[in-house]
Amino acid sequence: MSANGQRTVTWLPEIRTGRFDGALSGDADPAEISGYPDHPPRMGFFTDTSVCIGCKACEVACKEWNHVPEDGLNLLGMSYDNTGGLGADTWRHVAFIEQRKPVAMQDAGVHHEGADVLGLIPEGSGTPPEAATMTPTTPGAANDLRWLMSSDVCKHCTNAACLDVCPTGSLFRTEFGTVVVQEDICNGCGYCIPACPYGVIDQRKGDGRAWKCTLCYDRLSDGMEPACAKACPTNSIQFGPLDELRERADRRVGELREAGVADARLYGRDPDDGVGGDGAFFLLLDEPEVYGLPPDPVVTTRDIPSMWRHVGAAAGVMAAGAAAAFAAAVWGGHR
Amino acid sequence: MAECHPVGFQWVMEAKARGATVIHVDPRFTRTSALADLHVPLRAGTDIAFLGGIVNYVLSNDKYFREYVVNYTNAATIISEEFKDTEDLDGVFSGFDADQRSYDTQTWQYEDAETQAASGERDELYEDRAQKASVSEAGRGEAHGSGGAHVSPPHTDPTLEHPRCVFQILKRHYARYTPEMVEQICGVPRDTFRRVCEHVTESSGRDRTTAWVYSVGWTQHTVGVQYIRTAAVLQSLLGNMGRTGGGIVALRGHASIQGSTDIPTLFNLLPGYIPMPHAHGNEDLETFVAAEGTDKGYWAAMRSYMVSLLKAWWGPAATPESDFCFDYLPRLTGSHSTYETVMAQLAGDCKGYFLMGENPAVGSANAKLQRLGLAALDWLVVRDFSLIESATFWKDGPEIETGELKTEDIGTEVFFMPAAAHTEKSGSFTNTQRLLQWHHQAIEPAGDARSELWFMYHLGRKLRAKLAGSTDATDRPLLDLTWDYPTSGETAEPEAEAVLAEINGFNGDGEPLTSYEQLNGDGSTACGCWIYCGVYTNGVNQASRRKPAREQSWIAPEWGWAWPANRRILYNRASADPDGKPWSERKALVWWDEEKASWQGHDIPDFAADKSPHYRPPHGATGAEALSGIDPFVMQADGKAWLYAPAGLTDGPLPAHYEPQDSPFPNLLYKQQRNPVRQVLPFKHPDNRLQPSGGQPGSDVFPYVATTYRLTEHHTAGGMSRWVPYLAELQPGFFCEVSPELAAERGLEHLGWATIVTARNVIEARVLVTERITPLTVQGRTLHQVGIPYHWGGNGYSTGDPANDLVELSLDPNSHIQETKAFACDIRPGRRPRGPARPAFVRDYQRKAGITEDTGTEI
Amino acid sequence: MSQSDVTKEGLRGERPDREAMTGVNVPRRWRGKRRAEQPMVPPAEFTSYYGKPIINQPVWESPDIPGYLFLGGLAGGCSLLAAGSDLTGRPTLGKTVKTSAVAAGALSVVALVHDLGRPGRFLNMMRVFKVTSPMSVGSWLLGGYVPAAGVAALTALTGRLPRLGAAATAGSALLGPAVASYTAALISNTAVPAWHDGYPEMPFVFTGSGMMAAGGLGMTTALLPGTGPDETTPARYLAVLGAAMEIAAFERMEHRIGMTAEPYSEGKGGKYVKAGKLLAAAGTAGTLLSAPGLAGRLLPGRVRRALAAASGATLVVASAATRWGIYHAGMASAGDPKYTVVPQRQRLNERARADGAAGGSGG
């Protein structure tokens, strides 16, 4: 792949730039720091869930283009979500959440005074379906109902833990500022998997390697937009230079709130958050955890300097302890 | 719409972005509801009561667009004295023949005028008009499109005060459709209903328009056509036809359903909505045209359309001497719709069957009856992507498992022909906007897969070769066909564009025609489908134009090609007032330009370009000349929008609410429970038992209302999706949707199994308990509805029981469409019985409900 | 209602579909009884997406990875004992711990490779050196340590090349503590709450555990014939010191990270951790009993040696139990969304309170 040329620089910069002391803030240019002197603008996704119709075209288009294997027929009972979540074989995932809440003034027309089912699902839409008597629903008024849909994807973090912890350099930063796995390098050590604060990247069964969204690196290289954005009929998935997307998103969230959609908020847009901002960020209509997203993700390698310091100290104590043990033995007259 | 037409839904989102209010009326809270401003759940099968209630609101609150109504509709027209409304006859119209179960529509006519239908059943008055005795029973068929009128202008009362004028009849007819009645029948709370009425009326008139979008949720009923008629009445009253942002948008189930009625796969139509001739005595071209054609409007030229069609098919053989081979056309002897064909299969009359991209064993009503019909054939040809249920019913169908059929007893010889996908062939799709869009072949079909075009062309070629030299006159129609399409490639694929060129038509010198106005009745022109004339203008495939929107006007005339004449909005003269000025400066579509003395606009005017708004026809004028400057509905008999349909419908000039065939509720509006002329008698069969309705004893055995539908993730009967892992995994199995209240009442468990039963059959489905399904209060009691997607069958990657096993055969008398969208059922926890216990289980339910072969067949 | 016009000139005020608004056009008008309604259950204090974990569970398997953690600590500790033995002339102890060190070191590498999805590509670890990746650092570390420990052991057993042996012993002793402790950074440098939040104490737990294990192993040499009572004294001291350090660091960690520490006291992880602590205590007690200076005097030599060896073995097992406990606790904390959501939510709320802004923008 075209990245091979830059492969060597894709892992060095952390050291060159002292990146590992958590220096890289969101406004920094990841591609620049990763050794692309002149490179295209940082590209990303703005997924506006307020116009998502849950058609799942993104899931299908992604699998078709990237040859991601089909991964089983399971009726999950999680509303219309039978995919479950992101993983090695799911790079776009549409979440479906049923809630007893209105979208702005929307009148759902339903009426469920008769049903005392909600008492059985104390965690609301967070209840596992098998533990619920119905599609888990967030408690609320009996005549309120909204159906949230949201297409999740790899966040292509500014500070990407998966990339930081990869011991082989298989994960690398592209000239577009995105994070991609080189499947010809990955040795399946699995370190990136628990490192990701979003639970995106995962190991493919029977293959052993780690897989995730490439933001269609191959398509980008040919000047095409990613398959999912291309397939999205309502422009819920918007692709483009991150700066433009952020401006557009700020405008959009303002308009929505003005129009009465009080709980509209941006997620992953803030360059100063725990991962330095996401390359793929979202407009949500509820708390992130409702969609299965961490409310305040932090790149684990932010703490790596401190970790090493503690490791050093512990190692020193160990050595000292051993020395002390022998000294004591000698002083104690046991030779 | 978001559920079944997600790509088209982007335009709804665009309308919302521009401030449009979206109201979704559906029993279920769907992906569409999620994006709507207001969701209005109602009892499946009650839309006429709902829409009729809005009509009543519009009339009784004077919310109609009076200037539009007076000038552009037939509101002022006086109706014959003999006409009696449902008001007078408690639910039936005058002319009802209880023995024939049909209407004599004579009494519905305009006073002292005799009107031919613009569409629908145009054969009703054949005898009188052809002055000949007919031996035919009407082949009643879906037929959109064009029509015209006989002479003698109808009597009118522009003040709309005359007691027998359409407006007054309409007022009386809908007076009983009160908000209280709507609440009782539909289960829609009064205040919700009032808000709908207010939004629809506030968004209609000079400056605003409202569009209605429907799909088979309206058509698949025993009164389906009247559902759409009610919307037509409403839209005409509100002045929403022929205008930007107005109209009634029909969403179809497939990519080219519109195309398949334009150039029909229907038994009773010829291309361009020319009716198929009946087996009337000694009929020839002249009498046919005299009977089916008109003197006024564009149907006056029917002879030209017909002769040009015959020339396209039989070329040199079609001469004045041979009556242009009119006798080569087959004749109708009655209704030969798909469901009558199934009965004919069971009766042993129909011995051979072609299934081209259709899966009746899953996708057609009473799928069991379909399978039994297939099992009674001599031969069956299935063209599809994979081995669908209709191709393997003989070895693994449900009836084999229950022992009702035995493989060794089934004589049907099945030929399976792998079909090419749309990416593997060139051709056109015609969408619901009448827009033809060309698709080019991207790859060669794999293996033996071939296009329909290839199959039909080479089948015809081989048949002709076999018959070559035959002297038998019955072989002439086949041997004289113009069957000379160029082919290419090693598979000898016919050139799709050559077929398009023939459809477009050409003159004596073989030059492509540009407009159907060039067609002649003397054999000097040939045209395969008159309404498509112009799609190959200058020998260029207009349907393949793909000029980006930003490079042309908003109406995008250079994207594809729309019939007729690349017109994007029909009857658009109605977007201007009687003087030709746009009703509103913010709704300008076409307008009369005094200087240029012609109609100008964004769209191609649907009006004679130079006909002044002030033109009035001289007495005795015929054809287009007979239409005045304020007759925007140029294809209509009188140039007006029909609030009242004096002809064209078999079940009444005005829509009236009737309960579905199987309904747990009595009809609150009339003594007449069901559509009195619905087609039910031809379908008496042990496997098509009907259920007691309303107050009848046994109706409580089936207390719930079920409706079938599609999911975004699958396509109709699943032939295109259940075999595709990427789609199957998104909706991996057959399920039903119920409310938490029903789940509690019946002990249904989320993700557990449910058994759903009707008088026809019993199926099982996984259960999704969701608040998106809401209980309704109907006629004082709580009604629970069951949602059943119908994609599944026994074959493929994702499997399940076919929902259509539950549905009865009882058809709309106009369109012969089954009532899949509303029927009564019972549901209980657990899986259904296996083997012989399955039919026994159904028989047991029939006993419990006291069902006989006559149950539900009452008038 | 529509704000875009179709004028004679063309469109005015059109907007793209992505600017569509939902639920803003129809004012709600509830009937009284509807408005009056309250939620039937109070809103849950924490929610998630159908109870699904937010982060992905590690694909690391037992016994590979817990074994890898344990063996690294054992090896590191042994190399320190080895150096000390050489310096203070304890050849028997020396031989034992040098052999154990290389065995444990090599085994830990085997465990690591065995756990790879593509073991054949183990050498890709050597394509890069990344300080942000403890696994990368560890691979290089082991790459240097195992050969050194190997040479140290060989020379000790054969008695050949004493100088080289001494250098190797010294080298492995220098790398030993790093080998024992870097694995703490390895697991802490993840999004697994129980692991990451414990990163300040984890290295001390690991080194303490390593000292305990190595010491315990050293004590077992008491069984070898001709082993004088003083031969294993440093091992005893090291073991007791390690046990104390492991337990203390662990206690401190659990106490500090609060609810995130639940998996260390509950479920499978909790069982192992508890067992580890009990075994450590028992082993320590046995060690003290068998100490020659103390009650050991009262015991016959054979019994004392047996007790010492048994106590040593117990401490080795205790160390292993702790590592398995930490492993399983991590898996559990990754598998339950509450360990990810609740602390982050608290953090946000505190920040919001600090900012004085309305809480929970989540962005």
Side-chain angles (χ1 to χ4, degrees):
Chain A
M1 66 207 296
S2 68
N4 289 11
Q6 288 116 4
R7 193 187 287 150
T8 47
V9 298
T10 59
W11 56 270
L12 279 170
E14 289 84 352
I15 298 165
R16 273 216 321 277
T17 61
R19 153 77 189 75
F20 48 85
D21 61 9
L24 182 53
S25 106
D27 292 328
D29 175 345
E32 184 74 48
I33 285 154
S34 303
Y36 299 92
D38 69 40
H39 58 81
R42 183 179 180 188
M43 305 304 270
F45 288 127
F46 167 42
T47 305
D48 180 348
T49 70
S50 70
V51 290
C52 177
I53 58 173
C55 69
K56 303 182 189 173
C58 48
E59 287 193 31
V60 178
C62 173
K63 287 201 171 198
E64 283 283 356
W65 180 264
N66 296 297
H67 304 296
V68 178
E70 175 267 334
D71 53 349
L73 302 183
N74 316 303
L75 189 70
L76 299 180
M78 293 158 45
S79 191
Y80 274 5
D81 177 4
N82 296 305
T83 303
L86 294 175
D89 298 335
T90 304
W91 299 356
R92 266 276 177 193
H93 163 243
V94 181
F96 289 77
I97 304 122
E98 301 180 17
Q99 297 185 317
R100 284 191 165 194
K101 285 183 187 175
V103 179
M105 300 179 293
Q106 185 188 54
D107 183 350
V110 301
H111 203 208
H112 290 286
E113 266 169 341
D116 185 22
V117 290
L118 293 178
L120 299 171
I121 48 174
E123 281 177 13
S125 54
T127 311
E130 52 279 4
T133 58
M134 60 174 283
T135 302
T137 303
T138 302
N143 57 293
D144 280 342
L145 175 65
R146 69 175 179 179
W147 201 5
L148 301 180
M149 298 150 194
S150 165
S151 180
D152 195 9
V153 69
C154 171
K155 314 301 178 294
H156 295 275
C157 312
T158 305
N159 300 332
C162 58
L163 187 156
D164 289 347
V165 304
C166 176
T168 63
S170 163
L171 274 148
F172 77 107
R173 180 81 59 180
T174 74
E175 63 271 35
F176 302 101
T178 58
V179 179
V180 175
V181 189
Q182 299 169 92
E183 61 266 25
D184 55 338
I185 305 296
C186 176
N187 68 3
C189 76
Y191 201 177
C192 50
I193 293 156
C196 174
Y198 299 97
V200 170
I201 193 165
D202 207 350
Q203 190 177 46
R204 181 171 294 163
K205 304 276 162 291
D207 171 273
R209 291 171 295 178
W211 298 84
K212 75 168 192 73
C213 162
T214 70
L215 213 129
C216 284
Y217 187 43
D218 50 351
R219 290 174 64 95
L220 264 58
S221 310
D222 291 343
M224 296 190 287
E225 67 180 316
C228 54
K230 185 80 182 167
C232 180
T234 59
N235 263 313
S236 171
I237 300 174
Q238 299 167 34
F239 165 78
L242 196 55
D243 300 345
E244 290 175 25
L245 293 178
R246 283 172 171 171
E247 276 175 40
R248 187 187 297 166
D250 295 341
R251 228 176 18 252
R252 171 70 176 171
V253 78
E255 287 168 0
L256 278 169
R257 286 189 173 150
E258 206 173 303
V261 188
D263 41 17
R265 83 282 312 271
L266 297 179
Y267 176 82
R269 179 245 179 281
D270 179 5
D272 301 323
D273 68 15
V275 296
D278 291 329
F281 66 104
F282 301 79
L283 187 151
L284 304 177
L285 297 181
D286 203 340
E287 301 294 356
E289 53 265 43
V290 170
Y291 297 87
L293 297 164
D296 184 31
V298 171
V299 59
T300 179
T301 45
R302 186 192 64 184
D303 301 320
I304 198 73
S306 171
M307 288 180 193
W308 281 133
R309 280 195 289 277
H310 284 85
V311 165
V317 170
M318 186 182 194
F326 279 96
V330 173
W331 282 328
H334 317 279
R335 279 185 293 151
Chain B
M1 184 174 180
E3 265 312 327
C4 299
H5 300 82
V7 177
F9 197 72
Q10 68 185 294
W11 307 118
V12 176
M13 298 301 279
E14 197 149 307
K16 283 173 68 63
R18 300 175 189 193
T21 300
V22 174
I23 299 174
H24 184 226
V25 184
D26 193 300
R28 312 161 297 132
F29 187 98
T30 70
R31 284 179 251 222
T32 310
S33 326
L35 276 290
D37 294 293
L38 171 63
H39 170 235
V40 182
L42 83 176
R43 170 164 68 103
T46 64
D47 301 53
I48 291 180
F50 184 81
L51 292 166
I54 305 178
V55 171
N56 180 39
Y57 173 89
V58 168
L59 292 172
S60 48
N61 296 288
D62 291 342
K63 299 281 189 184
Y64 57 95
F65 190 170
R66 188 173 180 95
E67 203 175 344
Y68 185 104
V69 167
V70 170
N71 291 286
Y72 297 164
T73 76
N74 66 354
T77 310
I78 315 290
I79 302 303
S80 125
E81 259 171 353
E82 302 149 55
F83 172 69
K84 295 279 170 292
D85 187 30
T86 49
E87 293 303 294
D88 317 305
L89 305 175
D90 204 356
V92 296
F93 297 92
S94 53
F96 180 61
D97 178 339
D99 306 327
Q100 290 296 315
R101 294 228 179 164
S102 68
Y103 279 107
D104 166 10
T105 63
Q106 188 59 259
T107 62
W108 305 349
Q109 287 290 317
Y110 289 168
E111 186 170 67
D112 305 334
E114 184 221 291
T115 312
Q116 169 64 304
S119 64
E121 183 40 52
R122 273 172 286 181
D123 202 43
E124 292 159 329
L125 305 175
Y126 183 89
E127 294 80 352
D128 323 352
R129 313 216 349 262
Q131 286 91 38
K132 286 193 167 62
S134 163
V135 295
S136 91
E137 178 217 317
R140 299 172 168 175
E142 178 182 358
H144 315 270
S146 296
H150 274 248
V151 279
S152 72
H155 301 176
T156 61
D157 170 18
T159 69
L160 307 183
E161 297 303 332
H162 189 292
R164 277 189 289 110
C165 80
V166 165
F167 188 79
Q168 292 300 330
I169 291 173
L170 203 63
K171 252 185 148 160
R172 292 196 296 272
H173 181 83
Y174 285 108
R176 62 173 65 202
Y177 289 68
T178 60
E180 296 69 23
M181 198 54 97
V182 170
E183 186 169 67
Q184 287 296 306
I185 295 174
C186 310
V188 176
R190 248 164 294 180
D191 69 320
T192 307
F193 179 69
R194 190 176 59 253
R195 287 158 68 201
V196 174
C197 292
E198 285 165 3
H199 277 285
V200 169
T201 50
E202 283 163 15
S203 309
S204 302
R206 280 182 176 277
D207 298 320
R208 308 200 172 281
T209 49
T210 293
W212 290 83
V213 179
Y214 76 92
S215 193
V216 295
W218 268 3
T219 47
Q220 294 182 349
H221 294 280
T222 45
V223 274
V225 169
Q226 297 286 10
Y227 274 51
I228 291 97
R229 270 281 300 146
T230 324
V233 170
L234 183 59
Q235 288 294 70
S236 304
L237 285 173
L238 295 172
N240 285 328
M241 299 306 288
R243 304 182 59 194
T244 60
I248 301 170
V249 185
L251 298 178
R252 334 299 301 265
H254 308 251
S256 200
I257 292 269
Q258 181 65 48
S260 74
T261 51
D262 298 341
I263 298 178
T265 54
L266 300 164
F267 73 94
N268 54 357
L269 283 180
L270 292 167
Y273 302 95
I274 300 171
M276 181 71 96
H278 287 249
H280 299 296
N282 340 318
E283 184 187 275
D284 57 19
L285 184 56
E286 282 321 310
T287 46
F288 174 79
V289 170
E292 307 285 356
T294 65
D295 300 340
K296 187 175 168 184
Y298 284 83
W299 272 117
M302 184 198 262
R303 181 188 165 87
S304 307
Y305 313 151
M306 187 70 180
V307 170
S308 298
L309 173 66
L310 295 169
K311 286 296 290 182
W313 285 0
W314 286 292
T319 61
E321 297 67 43
S322 67
D323 203 19
F324 296 103
C325 301
F326 182 71
D327 283 343
Y328 282 6
L329 290 172
R331 296 294 195 274
L332 296 177
T333 57
S335 175
H336 312 299
S337 81
T338 171
Y339 292 110
E340 270 103 355
T341 306
V342 170
M343 301 315 284
Q345 293 168 352
L346 291 163
D349 302 334
C350 171
K351 301 186 180 318
Y353 207 36
F354 282 93
L355 290 179
M356 324 254 287
E358 192 177 356
N359 189 7
V362 168
S364 296
N366 200 333
K368 178 179 183 178
L369 219 52
Q370 301 282 341
R371 295 186 293 264
L372 295 177
L374 296 177
L377 292 165
D378 292 351
W379 57 265
L380 168 67
V381 176
V382 179
R383 296 195 80 258
D384 214 307
F385 297 146
S386 43
L387 282 167
I388 53 174
E389 290 78 3
S390 300
T392 67
F393 66 94
W394 53 272
K395 63 181 171 89
D396 54 19
E399 290 66 37
I400 303 290
E401 192 264 341
T402 60
E404 290 162 285
L405 287 177
K406 286 194 179 48
T407 301
E408 52 270 37
D409 304 343
I410 298 174
T412 313
E413 186 177 3
V414 181
F415 304 87
F416 181 77
M417 310 269 175
H422 67 284
T423 49
E424 299 169 334
K425 61 194 179 191
S426 296
S428 69
F429 287 126
T430 307
N431 73 9
T432 189
Q433 194 200 352
R434 312 171 323 282
L435 186 69
L436 280 81
Q437 298 179 94
W438 195 261
H439 60 90
H440 296 91
Q441 180 182 31
I443 46 168
E444 281 297 321
D448 292 339
R450 297 288 183 273
S451 71
E452 278 68 30
L453 187 53
W454 183 95
F455 180 80
M456 295 313 291
Y457 170 69
H458 289 289
L459 181 64
R461 194 178 48 77
K462 289 180 174 172
L463 289 175
R464 285 155 55 86
K466 281 190 186 301
L467 296 176
S470 158
T471 53
D472 184 342
T474 59
D475 297 335
R476 292 319 308 169
L478 198 51
L479 290 168
D480 290 345
L481 278 173
T482 56
W483 208 254
D484 49 5
Y485 306 99
T487 64
S488 66
E490 51 200 46
T491 63
E493 173 76 15
E495 301 281 356
E497 275 206 7
V499 180
L500 188 74
E502 183 183 80
I503 289 170
N504 174 85
F506 40 83
N507 62 19
D509 311 330
E511 292 154 346
L513 300 169
T514 58
S515 157
Y516 62 79
E517 281 158 351
Q518 298 171 318
L519 298 177
N520 299 320
D522 59 5
S524 61
T525 56
C527 175
C529 179
W530 70 277
I531 55 176
Y532 279 28
C533 190
V535 68
Y536 207 66
T537 299
N538 308 328
V540 176
N541 183 345
Q542 305 291 326
S544 67
R545 297 180 301 175
R546 296 200 187 91
K547 191 181 209 180
R550 59 185 175 285
E551 294 172 22
Q552 55 179 323
S553 89
W554 63 274
I555 210 153
E558 290 173 73
W559 182 279
W561 185 88
W563 72 262
N566 199 30
R567 188 172 290 124
R568 303 306 166 109
I569 297 178
L570 282 182
Y571 305 133
N572 52 30
R573 190 256 176 267
S575 67
D577 65 17
D579 296 333
K581 285 195 271 331
W583 288 111
S584 160
E585 279 312 311
R586 59 188 303 275
K587 288 279 174 193
L589 183 53
V590 303
W591 51 88
W592 174 255
D593 185 319
E594 207 56 67
E595 292 89 68
K596 298 202 182 85
S598 71
W599 289 92
Q600 304 291 323
H602 302 298
D603 196 3
I604 291 162
D606 192 2
F607 212 60
D610 56 355
K611 180 183 282 183
S612 153
H614 308 296
Y615 168 85
R616 297 294 178 271
H619 188 73
T622 62
E625 294 310 304
L627 294 173
S628 88
I630 54 165
D631 289 342
F633 297 86
V634 293
M635 293 295 183
Q636 285 286 46
D638 45 7
K640 306 297 187 193
W642 282 2
L643 299 168
Y644 171 103
L649 290 160
T650 59
D651 52 356
L654 289 171
H657 166 73
Y658 299 114
E659 285 293 323
Q661 172 64 49
D662 290 346
S663 167
F665 295 97
N667 188 349
L668 285 194
L669 282 161
Y670 312 104
K671 189 160 109 283
Q672 181 59 39
Q673 171 77 7
R674 309 182 184 90
N675 183 347
V677 296
R678 72 192 183 280
Q679 288 182 300
V680 64
L681 293 179
F683 306 109
K684 275 196 182 183
H685 186 283
D687 289 303
N688 190 48
R689 288 296 174 238
L690 306 174
Q691 295 164 191
S693 279
Q696 290 176 310
S699 60
D700 56 343
V701 174
F702 305 100
Y704 306 117
V705 169
T707 186
T708 66
Y709 49 89
R710 286 163 53 178
L711 303 163
T712 312
E713 295 85 346
H714 283 288
H715 183 260
T716 61
M720 292 175 76
S721 59
R722 277 186 287 118
W723 276 259
V724 180
Y726 286 163
L727 297 176
E729 68 178 329
L730 298 178
Q731 285 296 359
F734 180 37
F735 64 88
C736 64
E737 297 182 287
V738 299
S739 70
E741 292 84 352
L742 175 55
E745 184 172 303
R746 275 295 199 244
L748 302 167
E749 288 175 1
H750 188 53
L751 291 176
W753 286 93
T755 292
I756 310 169
V757 59
T758 66
R760 273 72 61 185
N761 211 334
V762 57
I763 62 171
E764 65 184 10
R766 299 285 297 282
V767 182
L768 287 193
V769 184
T770 170
E771 296 207 322
R772 291 182 292 101
I773 307 287
T774 184
L776 299 173
T777 308
V778 175
Q779 299 187 20
R781 79 165 170 93
T782 300
L783 167 71
H784 294 300
Q785 306 198 87
V786 181
I788 316 174
Y790 77 93
H791 303 292
W792 281 273
N795 298 5
Y797 186 50
S798 164
T799 61
D801 284 351
N804 277 305
D805 279 14
L806 299 175
V807 181
E808 83 285 359
L809 291 191
S810 177
L811 313 183
D812 178 293
N814 299 286
S815 61
H816 320 283
I817 283 185
Q818 72 290 345
E819 191 155 61
T820 347
K821 293 303 170 228
F823 55 91
C825 72
D826 189 24
I827 183 168
R828 47 207 268 183
R831 308 194 64 160
R832 61 163 167 77
R834 275 13 193 200
R838 185 179 181 181
F841 182 89
V842 176
R843 279 193 301 276
D844 184 52
Y845 257 85
Q846 291 174 347
R847 257 195 307 281
K848 261 193 287 176
I851 290 171
T852 71
E853 63 167 10
D854 296 323
T855 307
T857 62
E858 313 85 355
I859 287 169
Chain C
M1 283 195 220
S2 172
Q3 292 123 19
S4 89
D5 304 343
V6 182
T7 68
K8 281 188 173 180
E9 290 64 43
L11 280 188
R12 257 204 327 244
E14 66 265 46
R15 300 168 77 206
D17 52 357
R18 63 168 187 260
E19 292 179 21
M21 298 275 174
T22 292
V24 300
N25 284 3
V26 185
R28 297 155 74 92
R29 266 179 269 154
W30 302 131
R31 281 166 296 171
K33 71 179 173 112
R34 284 194 172 196
R35 168 173 283 145
E37 278 167 24
Q38 293 306 317
M40 290 178 205
V41 295
E45 68 283 349
F46 128 87
T47 186
S48 66
Y49 186 66
Y50 300 99
K52 292 206 157 269
I54 282 184
I55 63 168
N56 286 330
Q57 277 188 319
V59 292
W60 295 332
E61 283 169 4
S62 172
D64 291 352
I65 294 311
Y68 163 76
L69 303 177
F70 161 69
L71 291 167
L74 178 60
C78 286
S79 291
L80 286 171
L81 277 180
S85 310
D86 285 9
L87 290 171
T88 60
R90 289 183 161 81
T92 323
L93 179 61
K95 281 202 190 70
T96 316
V97 292
K98 285 179 185 173
T99 331
S100 311
V102 68
L107 255 180
S108 79
V109 174
V110 170
L112 179 59
V113 175
H114 178 261
D115 193 66
L116 292 179
R118 290 288 175 97
R121 294 184 177 177
F122 169 68
L123 286 181
N124 284 6
M125 294 282 193
M126 304 308 180
R127 286 182 73 250
V128 297
F129 174 77
K130 292 168 75 173
V131 288
T132 55
S133 172
M135 191 179 285
S136 170
V137 173
S139 303
W140 289 103
L141 204 52
L142 288 171
Y145 171 79
V146 175
V151 172
L154 268 176
T155 50
L157 293 175
T158 57
R160 296 239 177 95
L161 307 168
R163 271 222 191 71
L164 178 63
T169 307
S172 53
L174 278 175
L175 294 175
V179 171
S181 53
Y182 87 89
T183 46
L186 190 149
I187 63 164
S188 298
N189 190 34
T190 61
V192 178
W195 288 349
H196 181 272
D197 294 8
Y199 79 82
E201 296 85 2
M202 198 65 80
F204 295 92
V205 174
F206 273 38
T207 49
S209 189
M211 287 153 73
M212 175 172 73
L217 188 122
M219 285 165 65
T220 56
T221 50
L223 285 180
L224 297 177
T227 311
D230 298 342
E231 185 79 8
T232 59
T233 308
R236 263 202 319 277
Y237 290 172
L238 189 67
V240 175
L241 193 60
M245 186 165 144
E246 185 205 271
I247 291 171
F250 209 109
E251 288 298 326
R252 182 186 150 77
M253 175 177 80
E254 279 185 290
H255 180 266
R256 186 179 58 81
I257 64 179
M259 71 89 72
T260 312
E262 271 175 24
Y264 288 121
S265 49
E266 292 171 0
K268 210 169 177 184
K271 286 199 185 68
Y272 275 103
V273 170
K274 197 150 188 266
K277 286 175 178 168
L278 290 175
L279 288 169
T284 310
T287 308
L288 296 175
L289 268 178
S290 62
L294 305 159
R297 286 228 180 79
L298 312 174
L299 300 170
R302 211 166 357 83
V303 179
R304 194 176 51 76
R305 277 202 298 280
L307 178 59
S311 309
T314 310
L315 292 171
V316 175
V317 177
S319 169
T322 307
R323 310 308 184 97
W324 255 265
I326 291 169
Y327 166 81
H328 286 297
M331 298 299 278
S333 87
D336 187 335
K338 91 177 164 201
Y339 297 117
T340 307
V341 172
V342 174
Q344 293 189 18
R345 179 52 58 194
Q346 282 167 354
R347 202 157 64 210
L348 281 175
N349 295 344
E350 279 152 22
R351 206 180 302 151
R353 242 178 274 112
D355 303 350
S361 98

